[in-house]
């Protein structure tokens, strides 16, 4: 089993080390991760400059690029002789649930693996506070082994969120849907000492809509949330509806 591990928190992140350590009993682990934090990088690719790679230790490489860059370099560069059987991204320091999955570099790395024909899993620890990643690593190993035993097929992309509680306190696993965030004061406007305006994207912590089947609800109740993601963005219901609109260009029939 060839496993490619990456993240968006950077090569020195505790969550990355915990994940690589936890997965090594399952196969050969190669770590290729950004040389610095790339949170909220989403699916960005570096196209306008060369990428620099540094060997940190045997089987561990850092890249001055995005999580997506790391997966591409791994699959088409360093591991091209033996394509990875699995891509695992994480363990992210912070949740990646609901709408936030579209911004997440952690999830984007897993999506890139899926687009390259490799089953991929994104794993996040659902807290921004200081955290012990060892319990999350144990859960990651247990869950990855179970998913492999059940048979991950090509095209599968799974987002996992782990509650920040001791392993014995976790109630189990729920297969969930993406919940919905409720944002407040998304843009914060301030004035610098020279009287000029500047802006922070952020504001108050968002809340979430209550939904028994959502990832938010599962984690809040002490369950590990497992959400299968679909990369098909086409709205087929809208196709049927819009075909009745008679859309045409002027002068055409």
């Amino acid at each position: 089993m060839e496993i490619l591990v990456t993240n968006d928190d950077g090569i020195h992140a505790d969550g990355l080390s915990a994940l690589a350590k936890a997965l090594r009993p399952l196969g050969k682990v190669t770590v290729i991760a950004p040389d610095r934090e790339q949170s909220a990088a989403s699916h960005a690719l570096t196209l306008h400059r060369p990428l620099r790679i540094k060997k940190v230790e045997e089987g561990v490489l850092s890249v001055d690029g995005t999580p997506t860059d790391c997966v591409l370099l791994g699959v088409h560069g360093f591991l091209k002789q033996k394509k990875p059987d699995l891509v695992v991204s994480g363990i992210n320091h912070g949740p990646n649930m609901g709408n936030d999955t579209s911004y997440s570099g952690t999830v984007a790395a897993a999506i890139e693996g899926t687009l390259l024909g490799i089953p991929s899993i994104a794993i996040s620890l659902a807290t921004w506070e200081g955290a012990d990643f060892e319990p999350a690593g144990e859960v990651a190993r247990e869950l990855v082994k179970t998913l492999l035993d059940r048979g991950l097929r090509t095209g599968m992309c799974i987002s996992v969120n782990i509650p920040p509680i001791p392993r014995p306190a976790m109630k189990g696993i729920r297969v969930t849907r993406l919940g919905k965030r409720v944002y407040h004061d998304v843009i914060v406007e301030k004035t610098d000492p020279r009287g000029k305006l500047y802006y922070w994207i952020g504001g108050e912590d968002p809340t979430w809509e209550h939904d028994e089947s959502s990832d938010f609800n599962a984690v809040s109740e002490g369950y590990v949330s497992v959400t299968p993601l679909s990369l098909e963005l086409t709205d087929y219901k809208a196709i049927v509806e819009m075909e009745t609109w008679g859309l045409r260009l002027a002068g055409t029939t």
Side-chain angles (χ1 to χ4, degrees), residues 108-201:
I111 289 174
E112 185 63 25
T114 303
L115 291 175
L116 295 174
I118 304 168
S120 301
I121 304 170
I123 301 178
S124 304
L125 182 60
T127 181
W128 299 112
E129 306 298 326
D132 176 8
F133 285 90
E134 187 172 344
E138 293 173 3
V139 171
R141 178 175 58 248
E142 181 181 346
L143 184 57
V144 168
K145 185 179 186 307
T146 299
L147 292 171
L148 290 172
D149 289 344
R150 297 295 294 179
L152 280 173
R153 56 177 169 77
T154 299
M156 290 195 77
C157 184
I158 297 173
S159 178
V160 177
N161 281 274
I162 301 171
I165 56 180
R167 175 68 180 82
M170 296 181 193
K171 297 179 180 179
I173 295 172
R174 282 184 181 171
V175 179
T176 60
R177 63 181 295 276
L178 294 179
K180 186 175 181 181
R181 284 282 199 191
V182 179
Y183 293 93
H184 310 278
D185 298 329
V186 177
I187 302 297
V188 178
E189 179 183 290
K190 291 186 177 292
T191 305
D192 69 18
R194 298 186 179 182
K196 295 182 178 181
L197 292 176
Y198 66 93
Y199 300 88
W200 278 103
I201 296 177

Side-chain angles (χ1 to χ4, degrees), residues 54-99:
K54 179 181 178 182
K55 182 177 179 180
V56 178
E57 58 184 78
E58 191 63 36
V60 180
L61 302 172
S62 70
V63 179
D64 65 340
T66 68
T68 303
D69 293 333
C70 294
V71 175
L72 275 172
L73 283 168
V75 174
H76 291 304
F78 294 95
L79 301 175
K80 62 183 178 181
Q81 301 302 322
K82 174 62 172 74
K83 187 177 179 180
D85 301 293
L86 182 69
V87 172
V88 187
S89 181
I91 299 168
N92 190 67
H93 192 172
N96 280 307
M97 299 185 286
N99 319 48

